[in-house]
Amino acid sequence: MTETATSPPVDQSNAQFPISNTLSEQSLRALCSRLHARIEAFLQEDVQTETLKRVQQRTRISLNVIQEALKRYSLPSLSLSYNGGKDCLVLLILYLSALPTHSTLPSLLESIYIVPPHPFPEVDVFVDASSHQYCLSLERFARESMKAAFADYLAEKRKIKAIFVGTRRTDPHGGNLTHFDETDHGWPAFVRVHPVIDWRYVEIWAVRDGAFFV
């Protein structure tokens, strides 16, 4: 397992993604229900472009992967690798939309932010704002490598068995990944879950026009 396969490159343009102030005071279940309704409505739309038709198809596949992860692992044993990138944000919204009927929800969802060596202040601001408004309990780790960051995170969060990752197939070292991959030998042991692995860049960008956001 390579470091880039676990955490996709940080995108510096995320401020263009909408963050709604109406989300900030909602409970996690209310947020999940609202996003679920929005995405279900989008999936029922008779969209007119091939790109949006592909987004609908990708969305259904991604939701199936997330539901499979929820069958394999208890919610407390799942986490999300989040860096504020567009891929991660789409993944986060899909994850939230799959949770409204879950029997027991925490107040915040487990997540990890591996701080890059030279973080951009704008990215940190976006990560803070979006993690708050989308109900993440975000643990920050600034280490010499992603391997060390995950090792320290899992040493603190021993119940975590699988982590959602926003890697796409066109990312470095993403070509051979599947929806569920165990880490390689020498890495801290957990399963990487890749719900958006087959999304294309243009499909991720199509979401920014409002398909998933409320």
Side-chain angles (χ1 to χ4, degrees):
M1 172 179 163
T2 61
E3 297 197 354
T4 48
T6 303
S7 184
V10 176
D11 191 324
Q12 308 302 337
S13 62
N14 301 326
Q16 298 180 53
F17 264 57
I19 295 293
S20 171
N21 292 331
T22 63
L23 300 178
S24 58
E25 300 304 325
Q26 293 187 94
S27 70
L28 177 58
R29 191 176 298 279
L31 170 62
C32 293
S33 296
R34 193 170 182 181
L35 290 170
H36 176 80
R38 183 67 188 92
I39 289 179
E40 285 300 307
F42 167 68
L43 292 176
Q44 297 303 315
E45 287 182 21
D46 182 17
V47 296
Q48 300 303 307
T49 70
E50 291 302 315
T51 295
L52 287 177
K53 289 177 182 178
R54 289 196 303 271
V55 171
Q56 288 180 326
Q57 180 183 26
R58 305 287 190 207
T59 297
R60 293 186 179 99
I61 293 170
S62 296
L63 289 172
N64 286 338
V65 173
I66 292 167
Q67 291 292 354
E68 179 61 27
L70 291 167
K71 290 178 183 177
R72 296 188 188 189
Y73 306 99
S74 66
L75 189 57
S77 69
L78 287 166
S79 185
L80 170 77
S81 180
Y82 185 66
N83 63 12
K86 290 186 293 295
D87 302 348
C88 288
L89 187 57
V90 169
L91 169 57
L92 169 58
I93 291 171
L94 291 169
Y95 181 27
L96 290 166
S97 77
L99 295 177
T101 60
H102 200 278
S103 58
T104 303
L105 290 181
S107 57
L108 300 171
L109 293 174
E110 296 284 358
S111 57
I112 174 175
Y113 173 38
I114 300 179
V115 182
H118 306 289
F120 286 76
E122 296 85 355
V123 172
D124 277 346
V125 169
F126 184 85
V127 168
D128 285 342
S130 57
S131 63
H132 172 70
Q133 295 185 6
Y134 288 108
C135 297
L136 296 182
S137 174
L138 193 66
E139 301 283 344
R140 292 172 175 265
F141 284 82
R143 302 292 188 270
E144 68 277 8
S145 67
M146 282 189 291
K147 183 189 294 188
F150 278 114
D152 288 350
Y153 175 65
L154 294 172
E156 292 185 11
K157 303 282 186 176
R158 295 185 178 277
K159 63 182 180 296
I160 299 298
K161 304 301 181 186
I163 300 177
F164 290 108
V165 181
T167 299
R168 293 186 297 112
R169 198 164 303 285
T170 54
D171 290 334
H173 307 286
N176 295 322
L177 295 177
T178 69
H179 288 135
F180 294 86
D181 291 296
E182 295 183 358
T183 51
D184 293 340
H185 178 72
W187 277 72
F190 64 92
V191 172
R192 296 164 290 163
V193 186
H194 305 112
V196 298
I197 185 67
D198 289 315
W199 285 62
R200 299 176 182 176
Y201 190 72
V202 66
E203 295 156 1
I204 292 290
W205 266 102
V207 173
R208 73 176 289 271
D209 292 327
F212 289 1
F213 295 94
V214 294

